[in-house]
Amino acid sequence: QGKLVVKPDQLFGKRGKHGLVKIANNLDEARAWIDERMDKEATVGKVTDKLNCFLIEPFTTHKEEYYVAIKSQRDGDVIYFSNHGGVDIESVWETVAEIKVGVGEEIKQGDVEAKLPKDTPTDKRSLIASFLCGLFRFYRDLAYAYLEINPFVVTENAIVPLDLVARLDDTALFECGDRWGDIPFPAPFGRKLSKEEQFIKEMDEKSGASLKLTILNPKGRVWTMVAGGGASVIYTDTIVDLGFG
């Protein structure tokens, strides 16, 4: 009921700038907009692919938009926060505060609140700091490599995310798989499987073994068989040293 926001969900951003975000007055209007684009090709930047997955969300009335992202680095993680979220966040990057959390360090609300930008509204500083702490623990506990909410809005007593992008570390499946649930790892927008890759994918789905094939260069003459151990790294380094990389 009420206004809805409709957009494709296929691992690409800048949807508003490509005319791929619709504010619909009702569900019928949202469905009609999707029907016009379902299984139709769209070009985003230099990549063209078919649209086949859409999100329908409640429309949230708001004025201010906020930005948060958490990124994994070698020596820890960094929380990025700004009071000026939205599609043009890169152009106002000087407003973004960076809060570093070292490996194994605990995050404290008081420390986060002290590092928020000076233009953060006084009446929202405690709520935002509490949210960033909770979001970071969620990010770390579930083995995210990257997590961005841009934008989110702050109502009287709640945080409402309007758009989100996340990257899970699939090597943590053994540790977090039971909490992730049956989550897929889809191919990037515009990444079409070759007939060889599709064949191996179908074999993988029918086998208890792990069978993967990614063709980096269809015209290449060197193919590697990855065994899953340290020797694979040595093979790859040797190939590059010989000039085939």
Side-chain angles (χ1 to χ4, degrees):
Q1 297 180 356
K3 287 187 175 182
L4 301 166
V5 178
V6 194
K7 53 194 172 186
D9 179 33
Q10 291 181 234
L11 302 183
F12 64 84
K14 310 296 183 186
R15 288 167 289 192
K17 291 187 175 182
H18 290 88
L20 293 174
V21 176
K22 170 70 174 177
I23 299 178
N25 291 310
N26 51 57
L27 184 58
D28 289 339
E29 188 176 318
R31 284 174 170 166
W33 190 85
I34 292 175
D35 289 342
E36 291 175 3
R37 290 158 181 80
M38 180 64 75
D39 291 326
K40 304 289 176 50
E41 287 193 340
T43 299
V44 179
K46 298 181 180 180
V47 180
T48 299
D49 202 349
K50 288 186 177 181
L51 301 176
N52 53 34
C53 184
F54 292 83
L55 292 176
I56 301 177
E57 305 169 334
F59 176 79
T60 302
T61 303
H62 62 281
K63 293 182 179 180
E64 293 84 14
E65 294 183 336
Y66 299 84
Y67 167 86
V68 62
I70 309 176
K71 185 177 182 180
S72 176
Q73 295 185 340
R74 185 179 183 86
D75 56 351
D77 301 283
V78 181
I79 303 171
Y80 300 91
F81 172 78
S82 173
N83 298 288
H84 306 278
V87 295
D88 296 317
I89 184 63
E90 290 88 356
S91 64
V92 292
W93 195 253
E94 68 277 3
T95 70
V96 177
E98 297 185 11
I99 304 169
K100 296 184 178 180
V101 185
V103 174
E105 287 185 4
E106 294 297 325
I107 188 169
K108 298 179 180 179
Q109 182 173 333
D111 294 339
V112 171
E113 190 169 343
K115 295 177 181 178
L116 294 178
K118 293 182 180 179
D119 62 346
T120 304
T122 303
D123 61 334
K124 295 183 173 67
R125 294 182 72 91
S126 178
L127 176 62
I128 290 174
S130 175
F131 168 66
L132 295 183
C133 289
L135 186 68
F136 179 78
R137 295 187 184 102
F138 170 81
Y139 159 93
R140 185 167 57 184
D141 291 346
L142 292 181
Y144 282 87
Y146 183 76
L147 180 61
E148 176 186 280
I149 303 177
N150 183 35
F152 70 85
V153 300
V154 182
T155 63
E156 292 184 3
N157 297 302
I159 302 290
V160 182
L162 302 186
D163 206 358
L164 181 146
V165 59
R167 186 182 302 123
L168 284 171
D169 182 358
D170 63 353
T171 61
L173 179 64
F174 75 98
E175 185 177 14
C176 304
D178 58 334
R179 287 177 287 166
W180 288 351
D182 186 19
I183 188 168
F185 287 86
F189 186 72
R191 172 78 164 87
K192 296 182 174 66
L193 296 180
S194 67
K195 63 179 182 180
E196 294 86 358
E197 291 170 327
Q198 182 62 38
F199 177 72
I200 297 300
K201 181 176 182 292
E202 292 173 357
M203 288 181 61
D204 182 48
E205 293 171 350
K206 299 174 183 177
S207 170
S210 178
L211 305 174
K212 303 290 186 291
L213 173 65
T214 301
I215 298 178
L216 302 178
N217 179 7
K219 298 180 181 179
R221 296 186 295 110
V222 178
W223 287 40
T224 60
M225 181 174 291
V226 181
S232 305
V233 179
I234 299 174
Y235 299 156
T236 306
D237 286 345
T238 303
I239 292 169
V240 173
D241 289 343
L242 293 173
F244 293 103

